[in-house]
Amino acid sequence: MSTELSEPAVPPSPGAGESSPAPSRRTFIATSTAVGGAVVAGGVIGGSSLAGPDEATAAEGPPSSRVSLAVNGTRRTVTVDNRTSLLDLLREHLGLTGSKKGCNAGACGACTVLVDGQRVNSCLTLAVRLEGAEVTTIEGLADGDQLHPLQQAFVDEDAFQCGYCTPGQIMSGVGCIKEGHTDTAEEIREWMSGNICRCGCYVKIVRAVQQTAGRK
C-alpha cells in the first residue's frame, strides 16, 4: 500500500475568456472596512474635520448662562451650566454647604431653602431660573452671633441628633411659621411632612416650631 500523499489539486486560473468568480461575503466586508479606514485616516491626516460646525460647537461644552441673585442679602453673579441646580450653585460655586444633599430628588427636604420667602427644594430648582431672586439659606438666618429664634428653639428642645437634616428642618420651619401653618401640632406635622428626620426627632422638632411661633 502506497504511503505517498497526493498533492492538492490547484484550481485552474480563469482563461482570457472566462470571468472571475464573485467575491465572497468575507472578502467584501474586509475590503469595505479597509477602504473606509483609509478615508477616515486621510481626513484626519489631511487636517479636515468630518463633524459639522454644530457638532463641533456642541463638543466644546454644555450651554451655560450668567445668573445674578441675592443670597443671604449679598448680590452674587455667576456663570453656570444651564443644568445646575440651586443646591449645587450654593454648595459648589458659593461655598455655602449648610444646605445638604440628601436624596437629590426632592423627597427628603434636607436641601430646603427660601426663595423670595417661599420654601423650595433647592435640588429640584434650576439656578438659571432665579435671575433677580432673593435666596435665604441656613447661613443667612443668624444675626452675627445671635441665633435665629428657631435655631435657638432647636437647641432648647434638643430637636436634632445626627444633625444632617437640621438645616432643612429649620428652613422649612421658618417658612411654615411665615405661612401661618402653626395653629396645632397636627398642622405643623402636615405642613412639614416633606422634611424627613431619619433619627426620629419629630416630636421635638414640632415643639421647637411651636415655641418659636408662640413668640411672634
Side-chain angles (χ1 to χ4, degrees):
M1 184 176 183
S2 174
T3 58
E4 183 178 341
L5 299 176
S6 60
E7 295 191 8
V10 178
S13 58
E18 298 179 4
S19 60
S20 300
S24 67
R25 179 173 177 274
R26 178 173 298 180
T27 303
F28 174 78
I29 293 175
T31 304
S32 300
T33 302
V35 172
V39 171
V40 172
V44 172
I45 294 173
S48 62
S49 173
L50 298 180
D54 293 339
E55 290 84 351
T57 301
E60 292 176 359
S64 60
S65 298
R66 191 176 176 86
V67 59
S68 179
L69 66 167
V71 181
N72 298 328
T74 302
R75 179 63 54 182
R76 309 295 293 266
T77 301
V78 293
T79 300
V80 295
D81 182 328
N82 288 350
R83 300 165 296 180
T84 301
S85 68
L86 174 58
L87 178 60
D88 285 338
L89 170 67
L90 295 171
R91 292 180 59 84
E92 306 299 333
H93 294 265
L94 302 183
L96 299 173
T97 57
S99 304
K100 302 305 181 186
K101 181 176 287 190
C103 64
N104 208 33
C108 72
C111 67
T112 303
V113 300
L114 302 181
V115 175
D116 294 331
Q118 301 297 312
R119 293 179 284 174
V120 302
N121 290 319
S122 59
C123 71
L124 297 183
T125 304
L126 286 175
V128 294
R129 300 188 64 183
L130 299 180
E131 178 66 31
E134 298 278 343
V135 179
T136 304
T137 72
I138 190 68
E139 290 92 344
L141 285 187
D143 183 9
D145 293 333
Q146 183 66 39
L147 294 178
H148 183 279
L150 186 55
Q151 289 176 306
Q152 186 61 57
F154 264 66
V155 175
D156 296 341
E157 296 292 339
D158 194 23
F160 52 88
Q161 189 167 325
C162 78
Y164 194 85
C165 74
T166 303
Q169 297 280 1
I170 292 176
M171 296 308 300
S172 185
V174 169
C176 188
I177 293 170
K178 287 184 177 180
E179 294 159 13
H181 300 302
T182 58
D183 290 339
T184 65
E186 290 73 17
E187 186 178 21
I188 294 172
R189 283 195 290 267
E190 175 66 25
W191 286 90
M192 291 188 61
S193 60
N195 290 81
I196 296 174
C197 175
R198 290 178 173 85
C199 300
C201 295
Y202 296 111
V203 173
K204 295 179 180 180
I205 290 171
V206 171
R207 287 177 185 167
V209 175
Q210 285 179 311
Q211 175 182 317
T212 305
R215 293 175 178 172
K216 291 181 60 180

